[in-house]
Amino acid sequence: MFSSASPTVAAPTLAGPMPMAMATPRTDAHFNQRASQQIVDTLKLLNEVLAPQRRVIHAGEPIYQGGERFANLYILNSGFVKIVGLSADGREQVVGLKFRGDWLGFDGIADAQYACDAIAMDTGEVWTIRYDALLAACAREPMLLTVLHGAMSREIGRDRDSLMSVCTLPADARVAEFLRYWADSLARCGLRTDQIMLRMTRAEIGNYLGMTLETVSRALSRLARCKLIAFAEKGRREISIPDVGGLADFVQASLVPAMLQ
Amino acid sequence: MFSSASPTVAAPTLAGPMPMAMATPRTDAHFNQRASQQIVDTLKLLNEVLAPQRRVIHAGEPIYQGGERFANLYILNSGFVKIVGLSADGREQVVGLKFRGDWLGFDGIADAQYACDAIAMDTGEVWTIRYDALLAACAREPMLLTVLHGAMSREIGRDRDSLMSVCTLPADARVAEFLRYWADSLARCGLRTDQIMLRMTRAEIGNYLGMTLETVSRALSRLARCKLIAFAEKGRREISIPDVGGLADFVQASLVPAMLQ
DNA sequence: CGCCACTTTGAATTAGCTCAAATTCCGTGG
DNA sequence: CCACGGAATTTGAGCTAATTCAAAGTGGCG
């Protein structure tokens, strides 16, 4: 059963309210190709208008840290970044993942200091954008403001999707959804999605998904047993996903107590 | 033990990075008084610059709905609103709560349509702000852009706090944290916090916190037994909180397996 | 007054956690 | 090149927090 796909996306020819919501991201190729192009266009625009400073980052290095004074936003040009929240009482959790084209640092605007750590998960490049310079540029180039607000809006939406996953899905489905999201994010970056390299340990994945590392491991084993994923010969960090849609179906199926198959 | 309080807030006199993060919101009176004033100031500014259309809402009425074409942002001038997410596969969840001064509708910017329902939980008033008009006004009045971005940033931070609560706290602590957050939100609106009226059923609270209504009920009973809260003589929707700080302590204590008291 | 939705509480069940042990992977140094 | 050691992963076996199922209690409101 396919997730009701429509040929064109975000082309609101109809003005009236449309009762159907679609929180779960699309996975079809056309959509991702468009998204990929959008990312490239955005990066190009930012590059031209702001000529941002480029910075190479390596796995484990922070782009910014909680408490640090806010001055810059960042755009990830390549690599993968985790956002780690730290509560006053010492709890620590991965609260977000960032891919190519994603913005970093929005959390810092409100209180003039970052509220989280942003930490590279492998080698990559971030572009540093001074917030005040960005605002100035937005005045000259309104398109930039559109892009900025779009990115913030998307982050809000994405965070809510995370919350829904954690609150409404059982552990196995949460892991499946996580893999689907990761593959989808790669696709939007224009990267291959059949063979993916998880840049996180089971412990980190579990922390992100609100479960223990053992549960993550068991869930992955189960998914492999169902042939929804397969591990590489060597190294269990690399996973192949024959059909990303299958993961979405698995999530769906886990919601039906009495499976109709 | 107080959460390390500093006399002034967001006054970054020190430039260097400061390793301490502080995700959990403040609860002290000075801070809330300031926040309350800020809300009033913001509302005043918006009122003057944009002369927004006002609209009275009643419990159960939607301010906007998922799928509806995005055109407006809204500001809540009074009342309480829940944000309800709806996933493609039919899951439904309360993913946010809004109080006086909060903005609604950011989720709609990215895809030109709202991704959630915003539903009034009692009688109140929202101000409607056309997004294009807002952008135009921001060009004239930069302060407005600062306010807007601050609100979006705060929403991002708040969503992440929610995720952390759900992922890292046991059920009882989650409920305690929820009450603390609610009381804190009321305080920031300048409302009394010792006697609060929950506008949600146990089922809604459970849905928001990722647990069943029975677990919410049991958690509340337990908190009442500990004298951290007390129910009104009549009606179990009204709750009195003798000391909001006690709730924060309870959350903290639940994190220590071997309690040192 | 009586209905209905909401809430509370109990008892049984279970998903996910904790603890523990075995295995695999990978970098490092001989 | 291979041996070694530490870190990450897998898998099993109990245990526990939270869920499910069920029944009784309570309050609001026509």
Side-chain angles (χ1 to χ4, degrees), chain A:
Chain A
M1 199 168 283
F2 306 117
S3 55
S4 60
S6 54
T8 51
V9 163
T13 49
L14 302 166
M18 169 171 58
M20 270 302 299
M22 28 174 289
T24 311
R26 312 281 307 278
T27 323
D28 56 287
H30 285 276
F31 182 78
N32 282 327
Q33 211 171 332
R34 280 176 69 119
S36 180
Q37 190 54 49
Q38 248 176 38
I39 290 170
V40 172
D41 292 346
T42 297
L43 287 171
K44 199 168 150 218
L45 174 68
L46 284 163
N47 194 35
E48 286 167 358
V49 178
L50 287 160
Q53 186 192 331
R54 287 146 186 267
R55 171 176 154 203
V56 174
I57 48 172
H58 302 96
E61 285 177 16
I63 287 92
Y64 61 78
Q65 288 187 282
E68 200 174 307
R69 169 144 192 228
F70 170 80
N72 304 316
L73 291 173
Y74 302 89
I75 298 224
L76 196 55
N77 182 48
S78 66
F80 304 88
V81 169
K82 63 178 173 182
I83 307 299
V84 181
L86 177 61
S87 77
D89 46 38
R91 285 171 289 153
E92 203 166 314
Q93 203 208 334
V94 178
V95 293
L97 299 172
K98 300 295 171 183
F99 301 86
R100 178 172 199 219
D102 284 341
W103 294 64
L104 309 178
F106 290 145
D107 54 83
I109 297 176
D111 295 328
Q113 63 173 16
Y114 300 102
C116 305
D117 295 353
I119 299 181
M121 293 195 292
D122 76 341
T123 304
E125 188 188 78
V126 284
W127 295 357
T128 301
I129 295 175
R130 287 189 53 94
Y131 181 58
D132 49 12
L134 176 65
L135 290 185
C138 284
R140 298 193 305 271
E141 175 58 82
M143 184 60 183
L144 216 48
L145 200 59
T146 304
V147 167
L148 175 66
H149 289 174
M152 295 181 87
S153 172
R154 208 162 295 115
E155 178 151 341
I156 288 170
R158 170 63 216 160
D159 287 353
R160 286 179 182 168
D161 286 348
S162 271
L163 187 64
M164 283 194 70
S165 281
V166 166
C167 285
T168 64
L169 294 180
D172 285 10
R174 233 137 80 203
V175 172
E177 168 67 14
F178 165 76
L179 293 174
R180 195 204 54 69
Y181 166 58
W182 190 290
D184 203 54
S185 299
L186 293 185
R188 275 187 293 102
C189 300
L191 299 170
R192 63 183 299 192
T193 122
D194 54 332
Q195 190 79 17
I196 72 179
M197 164 68 130
L198 297 177
R199 259 103 186 152
M200 309 164 76
T201 66
R202 304 291 188 259
E204 278 178 312
I205 297 172
N207 178 270
Y208 178 48
L209 298 178
M211 65 185 75
T212 60
L213 69 164
E214 293 96 330
T215 302
V216 174
S217 177
R218 277 184 250 268
L220 288 172
S221 299
R222 222 130 36 200
L223 291 173
R225 217 169 298 138
C226 300
K227 308 285 184 201
L228 285 168
I229 65 172
F231 291 102
E233 340 270 297
K234 292 261 178 166
R236 304 146 311 264
R237 297 283 266 277
E238 204 158 338
I239 284 176
S240 74
I241 304 178
D243 169 35
V244 178
L247 290 172
D249 294 344
F250 179 85
V251 172
Q252 197 118 4
S254 76
L255 296 170
V256 188
M259 291 220 274
L260 34 90
Q261 213 282 315

Side-chain angles (χ1 to χ4, degrees), chain B residues 170-171 210-212 214-215 218 233 235-236:
Chain B
M211 64 186 76
T212 60
E214 293 95 329
T215 302
R218 278 185 250 266
E233 342 269 298
R236 304 145 311 268

